[in-house]
Amino acid sequence: AELPPPYTAIASPDASGVPVINCRVCQSLINLDGKLHQHVVKCTVCNEATPIKNPPSGKKYVRCQCNCLLICKDTSRKIGCPRPNCRRIITLGPVMLIPEEQPAQPALPVQSDGTRVVCGHCGNTFLWMELRFNTLAKCPHCKKISSVGSALPRRRCCAYITIGMICIFIGVGLTVGTQDFARRFHATYVSWAVAYLLGLICLIRACYWGAIKVSYPEHGFA
């Protein structure tokens, strides 16, 4: 598709002082007398339209290969020629606006460029946009979760082991210290079970954090 250059409303007058403009298709002279208020004029020789003004706000001109002049939104990426003998689909590239025509954009916070991280599962590199390390990340390649840095899983593994062992010691203490009491009040067995269960859950979580894959930045920590 051909994107015409900007057009001006003032055309060159001919010898008689009547404003005229050359047709953009056949280059014939088009008389603009009484037509300067229009955006486009039609050539009397080839019957094709030629712009004499810039397009309305938010619009742009596009000329099809069949010479049909189309007016569409300036954000359009695909348009269709309406002529029955053409019906061509025209794909348009992005249009760069001149500075004074660019809409005002709200101020956005400056974002970090991120850090390239090597996945601990598949070994592929992906961009990590977090401002801090020692967090969990999902690799976009293998879709698996890993820890960015080893400090987080190490801390949590130690914490769960500590809590789990405390719960187990409490359970053992309850078992030894309340055996006679439990024979009379069977509900005491519930407290034993809760203590052992909490200890087991914490140890399972410790195993999870101890076995989690670790992803590292390509150039070490910032």
Side-chain angles (χ1 to χ4, degrees):
E2 174 192 356
L3 292 177
Y7 301 97
T8 58
I10 305 300
S12 302
D14 61 6
S16 61
V18 178
V20 294
I21 193 173
N22 289 98
C23 173
R24 293 288 176 171
V25 177
C26 67
Q27 304 303 316
S28 301
L29 290 178
I30 303 176
N31 189 333
L32 300 183
D33 188 24
K35 301 177 182 178
L36 291 177
H37 64 283
Q38 303 177 13
H39 281 83
V40 297
V41 292
K42 181 175 287 190
C43 177
T44 56
V45 178
C46 64
N47 289 323
E48 299 293 350
T50 294
I52 60 174
K53 287 184 179 181
N54 284 326
S57 177
K59 303 288 186 178
K60 64 181 176 182
Y61 297 123
V62 177
R63 192 177 293 280
C64 180
Q65 293 181 10
C66 69
N67 292 324
C68 178
L69 184 69
L70 309 173
I71 302 179
C72 62
K73 294 181 179 179
D74 56 10
T75 56
S76 298
R77 293 293 174 263
K78 285 187 178 182
I79 58 174
C81 180
R83 287 184 173 174
N85 60 344
C86 180
R87 299 295 185 185
R88 182 178 282 104
I89 301 298
I90 305 172
T91 301
L92 306 176
V95 178
M96 299 299 293
L97 300 177
I98 59 177
E100 57 269 21
E101 292 181 345
Q102 291 180 349
Q105 297 290 338
L108 297 177
V110 178
Q111 294 185 347
S112 170
D113 292 335
T115 303
R116 298 180 66 82
V117 176
V118 179
C119 177
H121 291 280
C122 62
N124 289 315
T125 303
F126 62 94
L127 189 63
W128 181 241
M129 298 302 297
E130 289 287 339
L131 298 179
R132 57 191 178 90
F133 295 103
N134 305 325
T135 55
L136 295 181
K138 184 177 182 180
C139 176
H141 304 286
C142 63
K143 309 300 182 184
K144 294 181 180 179
I145 301 295
S146 62
S147 172
V148 182
S150 60
L152 177 66
R154 185 169 57 246
R155 288 197 308 267
R156 294 198 175 181
C157 181
C158 293
Y160 277 116
I161 289 177
T162 302
I163 297 173
M165 294 305 297
I166 290 174
C167 291
I168 290 177
F169 288 149
I170 291 175
V172 172
L174 289 174
T175 302
V176 174
T178 60
Q179 285 184 357
D180 295 335
F181 186 78
R183 293 191 185 97
R184 289 175 294 170
F185 300 97
H186 299 293
T188 308
Y189 294 121
V190 176
S191 63
W192 299 1
V194 170
Y196 288 127
L197 181 61
L198 289 176
L200 180 61
I201 291 175
C202 289
L203 292 179
I204 291 175
R205 292 295 294 173
C207 292
Y208 167 80
W209 285 106
I212 194 171
K213 292 289 186 178
V214 178
S215 300
Y216 292 99
E218 279 188 334
H219 305 294
F221 290 105

